[in-house]
């Protein structure tokens, strides 16, 4: 199984130390119920997140994971204040 991993740098706007953020999509598999799922990990913020995203087919699961990452990690960047490189959100 191929994993997609992006290592980014988050610089908080409060002057705190920069953080290494790792975003990973991995373990794509067809489930016994016919749906597909993929693991999503977002680590390096104040809390780490690990979950599975489900889809009707493999591509739908991967698309859902990308959308989930944009919402989750992008939301953390907005909530904590700061910047992440490379960017997750449109400028």
């Amino acid at each position: 199984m191929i994993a997609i991993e992006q290592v980014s740098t988050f610089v908080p706007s409060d002057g705190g130390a920069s953080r290494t953020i790792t975003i990973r999509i991995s373990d794509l598999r067809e489930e016994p119920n016919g749906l597909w799922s993929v693991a999503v990990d977002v680590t390096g913020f104040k809390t780490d997140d690990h979950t599975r995203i489900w889809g009707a087919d493999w591509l739908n699961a991967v698309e859902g994971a990308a959308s989930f990452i944009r919402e989750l990690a992008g939301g953390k960047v907005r909530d904590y204040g700061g910047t992440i490189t490379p960017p997750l959100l449109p400028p």
Side-chain angles (χ1 to χ4, degrees), residues 1-2 5 10-11 13-15 18 25 28 40 42-43 58 75 79 86-87 91:
M1 173 64 207
I2 296 173
E5 182 174 286
F10 173 66
V11 179
S13 59
D14 67 4
S18 64
I25 298 173
L28 176 67
V40 174
V42 178
T43 61
W58 70 269
D79 291 348

Side-chain angles (χ1 to χ4, degrees), residues 6 8-12 17-24 41-50 68-89:
Q6 176 64 47
S8 302
T9 302
F10 173 66
V11 179
S18 64
R19 296 173 177 251
T20 299
I21 307 299
T22 303
I23 299 169
R24 183 179 306 110
D41 303 290
V42 178
T43 61
F45 286 107
K46 292 177 184 175
T47 57
D48 294 339
D49 296 280
H50 309 279
F68 176 80
I69 289 167
R70 185 179 307 275
E71 290 292 321
L72 176 71
K76 288 185 177 200
V77 170
R78 280 190 304 269
D79 291 348
Y80 298 152
T83 59
I84 192 166
T85 306
L88 291 170
L89 304 169

Side-chain angles (χ1 to χ4, degrees), residues 58-70:
W58 70 269
L59 189 54
N60 186 251
V62 172
E63 288 172 333
S67 179
F68 176 80
I69 289 167
R70 185 179 307 275

